[in-house]
Structure formats: C-alpha cells, structure tokens
Amino acid sequence: ESLSAESSILVVTNPPYGHRISKIKSSTSVSTSTSRRQKIHPLLPLYQTLGQKVHDMSHNGRNKVGVCILAHDSALARQSAIPNMKMRFVSIHGGLTCHAMGALLEPKA
C-alpha cells in the first residue's frame, strides 16, 4: 500500500478523546416496538462525519485516500465506517494508550 503525491490525498487526524468532554450520555433510542435507553458516545457524530468526508473524497473517481486516526478508543474510530481500518501501532499520548488506525482507499467513481 502506498500513495503517490500527484494522485493522492492523505488525512491524518488526532481527534479529541473525550476525557474533557462530558461523560457518555444516555439517549432515548426508539426501536420498532419498544423504547429503550442506549448509551451514545458524545464524540460519535464527529467520527461519523470524519468517515463520511473520507468516503466522499475516495468517491471522486480521481484520488487514492490514505487515512490515519490516532484514537484512544479504537472501537469509536471503527464507527467512522472507514473501510479496511487496521491497527497500525499503539502508543502512549498524554498518559493515555492511543491506537493509530489506518486505511488506504482506492478511488471510486
């Protein structure tokens, strides 16, 4: 897997980990027949938006997109729905264990 400068986009991000943001919120989620409470991470919309932007860049039909997310919560990074995300390395950052998650997306029309 490699990127060439003339035909690629590289996205590298270190989004917030959520430790200074409010604790996991409870939100009401309605299923088909009953209402139940489900825990929603406050950063989930951020990671979903990041995933959508990366998806949009890879579907322009012209560029490979390399992406690396440095995240404290690897499960949250996977919820970005970026395909083929793999653990690249683990490190300590600000006293927290962090996971470098990466993927290379081929251009799609």
Side-chain angles (χ1 to χ4, degrees):
E1 297 179 338
S2 67
L3 296 171
S4 62
E6 60 276 348
S7 64
S8 303
I9 298 170
L10 180 60
V11 178
V12 180
T13 184
N14 181 10
Y17 302 150
H19 287 272
R20 291 184 301 255
I21 296 175
S22 64
K23 297 289 181 194
I24 295 175
K25 300 176 187 177
S26 287
S27 149
T28 302
S29 172
V30 178
S31 66
T32 54
S33 61
T34 61
S35 182
R36 61 182 174 172
R37 299 195 52 85
Q38 180 181 32
K39 291 185 179 183
I40 309 264
H41 196 289
L43 292 175
L44 182 58
L46 173 69
Y47 281 84
Q48 289 173 330
T49 300
L50 175 63
Q52 184 60 52
K53 297 298 181 184
V54 168
H55 175 271
D56 293 347
M57 285 187 272
S58 71
H59 281 71
N60 69 9
R62 296 184 307 272
N63 302 98
K64 284 185 182 180
V65 179
V67 61
C68 182
I69 301 174
L70 185 62
H72 172 62
D73 185 342
S74 61
L76 184 58
R78 289 185 196 288
Q79 289 183 25
S80 67
I82 296 170
N84 305 317
M85 288 283 283
K86 296 178 184 166
M87 183 76 63
R88 301 301 179 174
F89 63 87
V90 177
S91 180
I92 303 295
H93 183 63
L96 299 171
T97 300
C98 297
H99 310 271
M101 310 285 293
L104 180 61
L105 300 138
E106 295 293 330
K108 295 184 176 146

